[in-house]
Amino acid sequence: MADVTTTSLNATHDASVRSWVDSANADDTDFPIQNLPYGILERDGRRGGAVAIGDQVLDIGAALDAGWFEGAARRAAEAASAPTLNAFMALPPADTHALRAALFDRLRADGTSGDPARADAAKVLVPAAGATLHLPCRIEGYTDFLTSIHHTERHGKLKGLKDPLPPAFKYLPVAYHGRTSSIRVSGPDVVRPHGQWKAADGSVQFGAIEAMDFELELGLFVGQGNAQASPIPIDQVADYLFGFCLLNDWSAKSIQWWEQVLGPFLGKNFHSSVSPWVVTAEALAPFRTAACARPEGDPAPLPHLASEADQRQGAFDIQLEAWLSSDTMRSSGDGPARISQTNAKTLYWTFGQMVAHHTSNGCNLLPGDLIGSGTVSGEARSSMACMTEMTSAGAEAITLPNGETRKWLMDGDEIVLRGKAEKAGFRTIGFGECRGRIAPAR
Amino acid sequence: MADVTTTSLNATHDASVRSWVDSANADDTDFPIQNLPYGILERDGRRGGAVAIGDQVLDIGAALDAGWFEGAARRAAEAASAPTLNAFMALPPADTHALRAALFDRLRADGTSGDPARADAAKVLVPAAGATLHLPCRIEGYTDFLTSIHHTERHGKLKGLKDPLPPAFKYLPVAYHGRTSSIRVSGPDVVRPHGQWKAADGSVQFGAIEAMDFELELGLFVGQGNAQASPIPIDQVADYLFGFCLLNDWSAKSIQWWEQVLGPFLGKNFHSSVSPWVVTAEALAPFRTAACARPEGDPAPLPHLASEADQRQGAFDIQLEAWLSSDTMRSSGDGPARISQTNAKTLYWTFGQMVAHHTSNGCNLLPGDLIGSGTVSGEARSSMACMTEMTSAGAEAITLPNGETRKWLMDGDEIVLRGKAEKAGFRTIGFGECRGRIAPAR
């Protein structure tokens, strides 16, 4: 790829480095010093960029004030200390990499520059427990793709289609535009929507919908944008991928099945949830892997989607999980049940192909655009990443560990998405969580 | 409706009032003193709110400095003099109405307050010819509806569907989310996009697309927004409609036919054009008219879309036109050819129903959201509002007055959209124009 620093390994991936923030050295932390994901912290009523480290949150503005950064890292930290990360995301990768390198250096336990930084701990760190986090950026545009062949095929079969896969699926990454205004950071309740649907007796009804679903997705935040009418060539896409989050594309299937003429609309625009921490593409460089192998006989990608480098390392080996807890489970002290376990590397199209395709007609992406992978369902039943697949669209209930059954999400059900990238020789990079509970219709 | 001032007539609709800006009194102006549409003017490198009056543009910030406004009008003018109109659009209708009343008062020729204002003409007015105008606001979200039954039926027939109208069409206003980043104000060239399509021989190709179309739409700018999970009841929608513009939803049909699984995507997100002036809902109050009569046997709207007031006066009698000029026509001095003449009152659903439906699931609208009507095709051939209908998707060419033929738009073709509302006893309210020319693929 054009900029090797975007995809290649450097000192910040060194698994042997430990942090003076002790909790970052725990085996089970999502946020070791090798991660350093970005988010927005509210502190004393002011919002600003922050970094997760162990069980602490580092206030970038406070670290800036403490004199932690110089040169390119300082300029990047100034952008990253704003109330949204958009200006930071817009920087060239060399600048964002400079800040990561400086943070790594200041937070390491064995470095000369880490030692004096430790004295600033009280000024720059806030415990993650109880910290108020906001959306990482102003989400400029939201595009949701449909890149899991397993999810798409199962949906097609549920609809009774003779060919369950749309003809275009293997030629281009299918996508639609979503709604940005209703995207919320992990946490607040998801109010069950009202909507219109067609009942079994053929009548059309309006009311609180029954078929409430979650969809487990991986979200990409775009970094640098492109000018209108100037597509991003696939071999340069790596420089445009800022980082990734967990995305729950809550879906009102009752609405979606009936309304869908020009794609999803009210079935999906009442509330979408993202995790607060953006795990950078740089932190995930060790977990790049070969794109999903195309079955024999599938068409080769057309030239604007074809790249040897992208095929070799365009996918990300990220394990993704969904956990469900009901009111009953929580009140009886039962832990949540893992209902889905899947991996982003199984997607038929890479994020590189998604971005190249999105801009291939001249559409301009902006720093802070959110791009969803679509539901990341794998081939195995355990990797189905939404209720629609698990229950064959409500035909067969699933049974939870405590004996409760579900055809769809019920009021009080909480879904927590988690993600992590693991590889021998590297620290595990976690995504934190993306949480939301269904509140009754109003 | 809840707020009678939003839909009822007042002194600013009085056709007998003339302005001291002489050009505003011409019979053929789009911008008499009864119109007062808002836009964003760039003056001396600074952007700020402005109003079209005759062949002049009024700089609201300059008028504010000149002491034109007091009380609510002054507060509204302060919001309207910002670099985008979003904060102004977000105000309650009573405040935006106060500014309109004050502008009307200051610009009238026969009023006591108009006379001193005239002395400020050199400070506050800029000739429209040569003025640089920008998008009226930061477009927060863009939703495009499909509300012309004639457009929808013709498309269904072209696709060979047995029932050309989707089952949901008569039960709800169908819509999809569009892309905001590529919306431009009237003026710049529209670069012919590259894209993927399926050729007649079954092969899938990528290149500069042939089937380039325009779509003549009416755009609504949302004023006040609503909170998430708090739908706007249809009887209160009038207070949320800030104003209207012309919208050209440029379409790459070659792409759209092939890619469309979850609705339009690259076929429509390379460039959309809006006219620079937002004609307020208040200016259009005299032109409200009964919603399109539903044919006998059509289902009645469900309760969340049903309103006696909306049925009685929820449509807008706005004539819309598209004009085409080719390179050859312009170089030989021929004027443009009118290729479409239609009316927004023929739409099957009202903007009130669109907004009520959009928020019925709790989706939150924001001040500055753009909502498109969809292609405003009527029943008559002359009212077809896109090339796809006129040429039966490229099967039969249309002939221009100079003998040139077109199956689709060719490089150099310029489309100009125009709109006006006319009614006996009222001044004609014009929309200015929405212009764009097809530039060769890059």
Side-chain angles (χ1 to χ4, degrees), chain B residues 11 36 85 89 110 131 140-141 182 186 265 271 276 368 384 388 405:
Chain B
L36 304 176
L85 293 176
M89 290 169 163
D110 56 345
E140 294 286 346
S182 50
S186 169
F265 183 54
H271 193 134
M384 293 175 175
T388 303
T405 61

Side-chain angles (χ1 to χ4, degrees), chain A residues 138 140 171-172 176-177 179 181-182 184 194 196 206 228 262-263 266 269-270 304 357 361 364 369, chain B residues 138 140 171-172 176-177 179 181-182 184 194 196 206 228 262-263 266 269-270 357 361 364 369:
Chain A
R138 177 185 176 90
E140 294 286 345
Y171 290 89
L172 54 82
Y176 68 97
H177 296 297
R179 173 94 190 159
S181 71
S182 50
R184 306 285 296 273
H194 286 72
Q196 217 184 83
F206 181 85
Q228 201 163 354
L262 295 175
L266 298 191
N269 68 9
F270 53 96
H304 71 297
H357 185 65
N361 69 340
N364 52 322
D369 274 341
Chain B
R138 178 185 173 91
E140 294 286 346
Y171 289 89
L172 55 81
Y176 67 98
H177 296 298
R179 173 94 190 160
S181 71
S182 50
R184 307 285 297 273
H194 287 73
Q196 217 185 82
F206 182 85
Q228 202 164 356
L262 296 175
L266 299 192
N269 69 9
F270 53 96
H357 186 65
N361 68 340
N364 52 322
D369 274 343

